[in-house]
Amino acid sequence: MALLSHLMFFCMMIVVVSSRGAIYTPPSVPHLTDRFNHVPINQGYSEFFGHSNIHLMSNGSIANLILDNSSGSGLVSRNKYNYGFFSAGIKLPSGFTSGVVIAFYLSNADLFPHNHDEIDIELLGHEKRREWVLQTNVYGNGSVHTGREEKLYLWFDPTQQFHQYSILWNTHHIVFLVDNVPVREFIHSAAISSVYPSKPMSVYATIWDASEWATHGGKYPVNYQYAPFVASFWEIEMEGCILQHPTADSAATSCSRRGFSSLDPVDGEEFAKLSQEQINGLEWATRKFMFYSYCKDTSRYKVLPPECHAN
C-alpha cells in the first residue's frame, strides 16, 4: 500500500506540473534591472485610456490595469525617449484569459501617424490549461504591415508573482529580456536601417481585448464571464534620452539624459553588444521556448526580410 500511495502521489505531481507547464531555471545573467532606479508610476506615467479601470496603489508605486466588458485600460509615459532601457514588473491575470493582451511597448504613432516606429512586448492570454505566450515585435518607419514577430512560452507561471519584462533600445540593437534573460536580439545593420526604430517614442502599459487575433488567430475570444482581468505593474524603470519639447519635426538628437544612474544604456559601451553570459541566456531561451519566428515563416514571406539572412 505504501508503494501504491507513493506512485499515486508521483502521478498527481506529474499532472499538476503538466497542466501548469514545467518550471525551468535559466542560466545566470547580469541583472540589468538591479542597476537602474525605479520610477513611481504616478510620476512617470499619465492615463492613456480607461480611467475607471486604472487603480493606483501603494502611494502610486503599483498600478492595476483592468479589462472588463466596459473597457480596457492603459498608461503612457509623461516623457518621450530616444533610446534607452525600459522595464516593468508585471503580474498577469490567472484563469481563462484567451483573447486578453497585456502590452508593455514603445511607440510614436501619436507624432508620426503615417511612418511610426514601435517596439512591442505583448503577453497573450490562453484558453484553459495552456500557457501565456510572449510575443515580441518590431516596426520601423511605418512598416506596420510587415510584422517581425517572435513567440515564446515562458519558463515560469507569470500569474503567481511579478516578473520583469524589459526592452533595451539603442543604435546598436534592440534586446528583449524576461527576468534579465535576453529572449531576442534585433541587431541594427545597414540592410535594415530604413526600418530600424529611430524616432523618439513614448512608453505604454496596456490591457485590452484582442479577440480577433490573439489566441490561435482569434479562435478563442475573450469570455467576460471570467472578468475582470487584472494586470499589475510595478518597479518601472525608464532610463534614456528624454526628448525636449517633442513635435513631429523634432530631430532625433534633440534630447537630454536626465537619468539617475551613472550607467548609460544609450551610448554606454557595455550596452552595445551582449555579454557571453547574455548570449548563453539568449540561446537557452530561444532553443527551449521559441515556437514561432517570422524568419522561418516561408509561407508568409516568399522573400524573407533582409535581416533574416544574417541569422
Side-chain angles (χ1 to χ4, degrees), residues 146-150 186 191-192 195 292-311:
T146 307
R148 288 172 163 82
E149 305 101 320
E150 290 189 352
F186 188 76
I192 62 167
V195 294
Y292 175 83
S293 172
Y294 72 104
C295 280
K296 294 181 169 59
D297 193 344
T298 55
S299 63
R300 180 181 176 190
Y301 294 99
K302 303 306 179 186
V303 178
L304 290 176
E307 67 271 17
C308 295
H309 301 292
N311 294 340

Side-chain angles (χ1 to χ4, degrees), residues 96-108:
F96 189 94
T97 53
S98 67
V100 177
V101 171
I102 288 91
F104 181 69
Y105 67 102
L106 293 92
S107 177
N108 49 32

Side-chain angles (χ1 to χ4, degrees), residues 27 29 35 39 57 59 62 64 71 76 84 87-88 94 96 130 136-137 152 217 226 251 253-254 261 271:
V29 293
R35 305 172 72 180
V39 178
M57 303 181 300
N59 295 320
I62 296 176
N64 281 346
S71 176
V76 58
S87 186
S94 59
F96 189 94
R130 295 290 294 176
T136 62
N137 211 339
L152 304 93
Y226 297 92
T253 56
S254 60
S261 172
F271 296 96

Side-chain angles (χ1 to χ4, degrees), residues 16-165:
V16 169
V17 171
S18 63
S19 67
R20 300 188 67 86
I23 305 298
Y24 295 89
T25 301
S28 176
V29 293
H31 281 207
L32 297 183
T33 53
D34 291 343
R35 305 172 72 180
F36 297 104
N37 291 320
H38 299 153
V39 178
I41 291 174
N42 59 351
Q43 295 181 23
Y45 281 84
S46 300
E47 292 184 1
F48 179 38
F49 72 100
H51 167 76
S52 62
N53 281 352
I54 299 172
H55 297 171
L56 295 180
M57 303 181 300
S58 300
N59 295 320
S61 63
I62 296 176
N64 281 346
L65 301 185
I66 298 169
L67 168 66
D68 58 23
N69 56 9
S70 68
S71 176
S73 53
L75 301 167
V76 58
S77 62
R78 297 179 185 272
N79 293 314
K80 296 181 184 294
Y81 297 84
N82 195 201
Y83 306 120
F85 181 79
F86 311 93
S87 186
I90 309 174
K91 183 180 178 182
L92 303 182
S94 59
F96 189 94
T97 53
S98 67
V100 177
V101 171
I102 288 91
F104 181 69
Y105 67 102
L106 293 92
S107 177
N108 49 32
D110 56 336
L111 287 182
F112 303 94
H114 303 296
N115 62 331
H116 86 277
D117 303 315
E118 193 164 307
I119 303 173
D120 296 333
I121 288 178
E122 295 175 313
L123 295 148
L124 313 183
H126 59 92
E127 71 273 22
K128 290 183 178 178
R129 293 183 295 279
R130 295 290 294 176
E131 299 298 323
W132 280 85
V133 167
L134 171 72
Q135 175 171 286
T136 62
N137 211 339
V138 176
Y139 297 112
N141 201 32
S143 60
V144 294
H145 298 298
T146 307
R148 288 172 163 82
E149 305 101 320
E150 290 189 352
K151 296 182 181 182
L152 304 93
Y153 290 114
L154 299 169
W155 54 90
F156 51 81
D157 183 346
T159 71
Q160 296 301 300
Q161 58 187 17
F162 287 91
H163 291 270
Q164 293 158 320
Y165 303 85

